[in-house]
Amino acid sequence: MIRRTSQDIRRLNRFEVLRRVYAGPGAMSRQDVAAATGLSFATVANLTAELLEAGVLVEAGHEESGGGRPRARLAVNAERGALIGVDVAETSVHAELFDLALTVRHSVERPLPPGDVRPADVVGLLGGAVEELLAVSGTDRARVLGVGVSVPGMVDREGGVSSFSPYWSWHEVPLRALLDERLGMPLWLDNPLRASTVAEMWFGAGREVDDLVVLTLRAGVGAGIALGGQLHRGFTDSAGEWGHTCLVLDGRPCTCGNRGCVEAYVSLRGIAGTWRELAPDDERTGGPDDAATVAALARAADAGDPAAVAAVERTGRYLGAAVAQLVNLLNPQVVVVGNQVMDLLGERLLPVAYEAVGRHALALPRRAATLRRSAVPHDPVTRGAATFALEGFLEDREVFGPVSRMRRAARGGGGAGA
Amino acid sequence: MIRRTSQDIRRLNRFEVLRRVYAGPGAMSRQDVAAATGLSFATVANLTAELLEAGVLVEAGHEESGGGRPRARLAVNAERGALIGVDVAETSVHAELFDLALTVRHSVERPLPPGDVRPADVVGLLGGAVEELLAVSGTDRARVLGVGVSVPGMVDREGGVSSFSPYWSWHEVPLRALLDERLGMPLWLDNPLRASTVAEMWFGAGREVDDLVVLTLRAGVGAGIALGGQLHRGFTDSAGEWGHTCLVLDGRPCTCGNRGCVEAYVSLRGIAGTWRELAPDDERTGGPDDAATVAALARAADAGDPAAVAAVERTGRYLGAAVAQLVNLLNPQVVVVGNQVMDLLGERLLPVAYEAVGRHALALPRRAATLRRSAVPHDPVTRGAATFALEGFLEDREVFGPVSRMRRAARGGGGAGA
DNA sequence: CCCCTTCTTCCAACCCTTCGAATAAGATCG
DNA sequence: CGATCTTATTCGAAGGGTTGGAAGAAGGGG
């Protein structure tokens, strides 16, 4: 049983206030935040005071006054510290350094060798990439508020263990232990699905919406699920494995051993496969690099190549049918589609997919749901990983103590008068 | 934005305590409840006092003492009031009267005419059934704490409107308005999926588990979803429409107009259809009453009829493949299968289905999930409907006021000594 | 320079949980 | 049969949160 305490309310409200400030581009006042969150003004003032004291927010000038006291503008204090987000993907380790305003400051990408990769190699590469980020940006280690790391597959977040990797023969790898030693900074581990989702919640569609599903389409595919404003992790941290949902009974073989999985149709490899089916003699369809093949497909479709157009169309229909299942089952307000496949095929795919959703989903949940492309700036996975670190920092009891502690401090210090 | 307040904590804890008392068959002490809920003993004592004062609980004797003061046994006060649960189904209206211990006291079933049925007819029949329940049981209207009504299809719970019915040509029918007038008792409207799920949360597998999926298999099929101990309703109250998830692309036509839906394979009609496919010349497979056909199928399978055995087996595989999707996506701790199909085919179906889940789901979420038959006594839909009324009663601010109100009352009244 | 308007801060009130001391209620033993 | 022991409950104070409203702060306008 999880104990619910009033401090949870406080923590969630703190998140909420800060999310609004991130959302409003430098122009949020306390009043705006109160209106947007539905919290009382007193509470917003209280929480902002706390965030100001912690240096997370700063007051940046005032708004135009229409006769009364002008509102103070709240902004995130970018210089309060740095966050690092790392995306360990199939072929590379991508590490980025953000300031606290979640602006990308520096970026490093290190290729991973093909084939099976040992955990120690990833740890080494990751450690090196982080060191380089610190060196290049001249950031002191102590200024880093946390490092978020996204590892593919199933990750036991609490234990810090990678239970299973789709690409490598990893089993119960104690990543936290290995990385803690190497990095010496606060560390949060999770997987790319949940990273993308949390990025969406802070910086994308999730800012306005409480029930959303975030589809990640790249080498693998998955669905991050956020319901009631809370990320759903599942009983063993493995919710969101949408890729091996059966889309076509006895359809194409999938890497998982089954047939007809969603992933076999809307992942990079699946899309390349669809093109190959439709144009078996076209040598562009046969390359070993699926991302390159899909990029070629996009170009060919733009050029009016009939097989390519048909392949995109068919992919859209597959995607739509698969999304319809989610819409029926979860009745979300928004379905966000993101990552590589979107970057490559983007606008070509969504209209077809949307139309297919309409054919496959029931009227009421379909009308409720909108399908849209991710609006998260830059890479949602590294950003999401950094967001985990941000969330971790915001839960730090040293920095954000209980209210009474603040009050004692205020009394002791004695505020300087005007 | 939904405001989170400390009173929500109180309300949820009140639910939690009471759920434990229902779960422990007459043998729960305050200590047991505290251990089971993880709440502090003081809080449990506090909540119990409130429930005792409201007459919901009573102290029923003491446990054997092993040397110290004996523990008081807590029990639900069945006589505190009555609850009515109504299941409006395709072919009948089934109304049941429960005491507060959720024991069925009286039951009435009224057939509905085949074909399109008007809302007024359902309201009339329902009203009559409720009147009969009151008359037969000699229950005073004022003693009824609430009436829960389950209506098929999509129901706007807050508005009290049936947005869409799968059987009848209902559109935006203001059921609450119609029924309020007829019944004159507190009313809660919802659909059978969510009713079954909430029944499971209070009286079935959900007592021990926080993430569960409840499959309802009868004329239609659906999946009730409870995550983190909370029922998920979806953005427009229509989550759980699992029946029209695509199981076989371009498979059997479904009533919804698409092809290959889950419902076309594991609903009563779907199962009958599978049997018919396998034994087209067997006249037992062709009756108009699907429930009767499935009952015949169960008998034939028991008798060793090869086509019947194959039909059950195939149905199990379909079910397993469909469940695997849910297991992968949501990573629940338990999947409960219930309602008519289970009653008819029960034990024959689950082993095959379980095996198929194993083939179609990923290792980690599969290991986490158990598939089991509903353990909710009697009819989960009427019971769930009654449970909505129970929950409504437990939220009644007149009865369960804030803590301070209690304290004032205690001071004013002055408790009688021992 | 005073008044008016609007934003912020501050305080008291209220809600909820929990710790620990005090009280209650049997069992047991001398 | 009372003292003592053990365990269960009750009670009060403290701690963590939110909120409405009074009081203070900061401009604009006459």
Side-chain angles (χ1 to χ4, degrees):
Chain A
M1 278 309 120
I2 289 152
R3 231 140 57 172
R4 287 174 263 264
T5 98
S6 59
Q7 288 184 60
D8 295 335
I9 297 179
R10 177 83 172 181
R11 183 172 47 82
L12 292 172
N13 286 346
R14 178 157 57 225
F15 281 25
E16 202 63 27
V17 167
L18 194 51
R19 283 195 345 178
R20 296 298 160 173
V21 178
Y22 276 115
M28 287 310 256
S29 67
R30 289 175 178 76
Q31 310 283 340
D32 297 333
V33 172
T37 57
L39 293 168
S40 76
F41 185 80
T43 301
V44 171
N46 194 337
L47 287 162
T48 12
E50 185 191 39
L51 289 164
L52 286 167
E53 198 190 344
V56 173
L57 291 182
V58 284
E59 292 198 341
H62 297 267
E63 291 184 359
E64 295 285 286
S65 156
R69 175 175 176 172
R71 303 175 169 183
R73 247 196 275 271
L74 297 170
V76 176
N77 179 13
E79 301 312 316
R80 171 64 174 78
L83 298 165
I84 294 177
V86 184
D87 176 13
V88 177
E90 184 175 8
T91 57
S92 70
V93 172
H94 187 193
E96 301 196 294
L97 187 124
F98 298 81
D99 62 28
L100 197 58
L102 268 292
T103 307
V104 183
R105 288 298 187 84
H106 291 278
S107 187
V108 168
E109 187 149 11
R110 298 270 170 95
L112 279 171
D116 203 17
V117 178
R118 289 176 315 159
D121 295 336
V122 168
V123 168
L125 226 60
L126 199 162
V130 168
E131 294 302 335
E132 185 177 330
L133 282 179
L134 295 179
V136 170
S137 62
T139 304
D140 184 23
R141 196 175 218 83
R143 270 181 44 80
V144 178
L145 303 175
V147 182
V149 176
S150 154
V151 182
M154 309 215 175
V155 178
D156 167 6
R157 177 183 164 95
E158 299 307 316
V161 173
S162 164
S163 318
F164 166 80
S165 161
Y167 311 125
W168 312 309
S169 55
W170 291 17
H171 289 291
E172 308 300 327
V173 174
L175 273 182
R176 160 121 61 206
L178 298 171
L179 283 169
D180 259 347
E181 198 179 342
R182 186 77 165 75
L183 297 176
M185 295 182 278
L187 175 70
W188 281 268
L189 272 173
D190 221 309
N191 78 11
L193 251 55
R194 292 195 287 261
S196 302
T197 308
V198 88
E200 208 65 48
M201 291 168 74
W202 279 82
F203 307 103
R207 286 179 302 190
E208 296 98 43
V209 156
D210 270 355
D211 294 311
L212 80 162
V213 173
V214 179
L215 303 183
T216 296
L217 308 179
R218 42 188 201 174
V221 310
I225 300 170
L227 303 177
Q230 293 290 98
L231 183 59
H232 172 63
R233 300 182 179 280
F235 178 52
T236 54
D237 268 349
S238 62
E241 286 298 335
W242 177 63
H244 303 287
T245 294
C246 179
L247 180 61
V248 182
L249 202 73
D250 299 323
R252 277 186 208 165
C254 173
T255 50
C256 72
N258 285 319
R259 305 176 74 88
C261 300
V262 168
E263 183 163 310
Y265 296 86
V266 299
S267 67
L268 288 171
R269 182 157 308 159
I271 295 169
T274 300
W275 193 19
R276 200 174 310 125
E277 272 181 17
L278 288 169
D281 301 328
D282 189 330
E283 72 252 3
R284 287 174 301 180
T285 68
D289 180 347
D290 296 316
T293 306
V294 173
L297 169 63
R299 285 192 302 274
D302 278 345
D305 177 314
V309 169
V312 170
E313 192 126 312
R314 219 151 113 176
T315 301
R317 283 209 304 277
Y318 285 131
L319 179 62
V323 167
Q325 302 189 2
L326 293 173
V327 166
N328 279 341
L329 186 65
L330 297 174
N331 186 21
Q333 197 174 351
V334 171
V335 177
V336 174
V337 192
N339 287 84
Q340 250 175 318
V341 167
M342 263 307 112
D343 297 340
L344 294 171
L345 293 181
E347 299 313 323
R348 294 172 197 83
L349 210 50
L350 281 189
V352 188
Y354 191 71
E355 201 250 335
V357 172
R359 269 203 315 284
H360 288 276
L362 298 181
L364 194 61
R366 166 168 49 81
R367 278 203 304 273
T370 63
L371 181 66
R372 64 173 88 148
R373 192 170 170 174
S374 171
V376 172
H378 207 67
D379 180 345
V381 178
T382 54
R383 176 175 294 261
T387 307
F388 282 128
L390 172 64
E391 290 189 342
F393 171 63
L394 290 175
E395 289 182 25
D396 188 337
R397 303 271 310 201
E398 298 290 310
V399 184
F400 302 92
V403 171
S404 60
R405 220 165 57 93
M406 283 177 60
R407 231 176 255 155
R408 268 203 305 282
R411 273 199 233 295
Chain B
M1 280 308 122
I2 288 153
R3 224 134 68 172
R4 286 174 263 264
T5 99
S6 59
Q7 287 185 55
D8 295 335
I9 297 178
R10 177 86 174 180
R11 185 171 47 83
L12 292 172
N13 287 345
R14 179 158 56 226
F15 281 25
E16 201 64 24
V17 166
L18 194 51
R19 283 196 344 177
R20 296 298 162 172
V21 178
Y22 277 114
M28 287 312 256
S29 66
R30 289 175 178 76
Q31 310 282 340
D32 298 333
V33 173
T37 56
L39 293 168
S40 76
F41 185 80
T43 301
V44 172
N46 194 337
L47 288 162
T48 333
E50 185 191 38
L51 289 165
L52 285 167
E53 198 191 343
V56 174
L57 292 182
V58 285
E59 293 198 341
H62 296 267
E63 290 184 2
E64 294 286 285
S65 153
R69 176 174 175 173
R71 302 175 169 183
R73 246 197 276 271
L74 298 170
V76 177
N77 179 13
E79 301 312 315
R80 172 62 175 79
L83 299 164
I84 294 176
V86 185
D87 175 16
V88 176
E90 184 175 11
T91 58
S92 69
V93 172
H94 186 193
E96 301 196 293
L97 186 124
F98 298 80
D99 62 28
L100 198 58
L102 268 291
T103 307
V104 182
R105 288 300 186 83
H106 291 278
S107 187
V108 168
E109 187 149 11
R110 298 271 171 93
L112 280 170
D116 203 15
V117 178
R118 290 176 313 160
D121 295 335
V122 168
V123 168
L125 228 57
L126 199 162
V130 168
E131 294 301 335
E132 185 178 328
L133 281 178
L134 295 179
V136 169
S137 62
T139 305
D140 184 24
R141 197 177 217 85
R143 270 181 45 80
V144 177
L145 304 175
V147 182
V149 176
S150 154
V151 181
M154 309 215 176
V155 178
D156 167 6
R157 178 184 163 93
E158 300 306 316
V161 173
S162 164
S163 316
F164 167 80
S165 160
Y167 312 125
W168 312 308
S169 55
W170 291 16
H171 290 289
E172 308 299 328
V173 174
L175 274 182
R176 161 123 60 209
L178 298 170
L179 283 169
D180 259 346
E181 197 179 343
R182 187 77 165 76
L183 297 176
M185 294 181 277
L187 176 70
W188 281 269
L189 273 172
D190 220 309
N191 78 10
L193 253 55
R194 292 195 289 261
S196 301
T197 306
V198 87
E200 208 66 48
M201 291 168 73
W202 279 81
F203 307 103
R207 286 178 301 188
E208 296 97 45
V209 157
D210 269 356
D211 293 313
L212 81 162
V213 172
V214 179
L215 303 183
T216 297
L217 308 179
R218 43 187 201 173
V221 310
I225 299 170
L227 303 176
Q230 291 290 100
L231 184 59
H232 172 64
R233 300 180 180 281
F235 178 53
T236 53
D237 270 347
S238 61
E241 286 298 334
W242 178 61
H244 303 287
T245 294
C246 178
L247 180 62
V248 182
L249 202 73
D250 299 322
R252 279 186 207 161
C254 174
T255 50
C256 72
N258 285 320
R259 305 175 75 88
C261 299
V262 168
E263 183 163 309
Y265 295 86
V266 299
S267 67
L268 288 171
R269 182 158 306 161
I271 296 170
T274 300
W275 193 17
R276 200 173 312 125
E277 273 181 18
L278 288 169
D281 301 329
D282 189 331
E283 75 252 3
R284 288 174 300 181
T285 67
D289 179 347
D290 296 316
T293 306
V294 174
L297 170 63
R299 285 193 303 274
D302 278 345
D305 178 313
V309 170
V312 170
E313 193 126 313
R314 220 152 113 177
T315 301
R317 286 208 303 277
Y318 285 130
L319 179 61
V323 167
Q325 301 188 3
L326 293 174
V327 166
N328 279 342
L329 187 65
L330 298 174
N331 186 22
Q333 198 174 350
V334 171
V335 177
V336 174
V337 191
N339 287 82
Q340 251 175 318
V341 167
M342 264 304 114
D343 297 340
L344 294 171
L345 292 180
E347 299 313 324
R348 295 172 197 84
L349 210 51
L350 282 189
V352 189
Y354 190 71
E355 201 250 338
V357 172
R359 269 202 317 282
H360 289 276
L362 298 180
L364 194 62
R366 167 167 48 81
R367 277 204 303 275
T370 64
L371 181 66
R372 66 174 83 150
R373 193 170 169 174
S374 170
V376 172
H378 206 67
D379 180 345
V381 179
T382 53
R383 176 176 295 262
T387 307
F388 282 128
L390 171 64
E391 289 189 342
F393 171 63
L394 291 174
E395 290 182 24
D396 187 336
R397 303 271 309 201
E398 297 290 308
V399 184
F400 302 93
V403 172
S404 60
R405 219 166 56 94
M406 282 177 61
R407 233 177 252 154
R408 269 202 303 280
R411 274 199 235 295

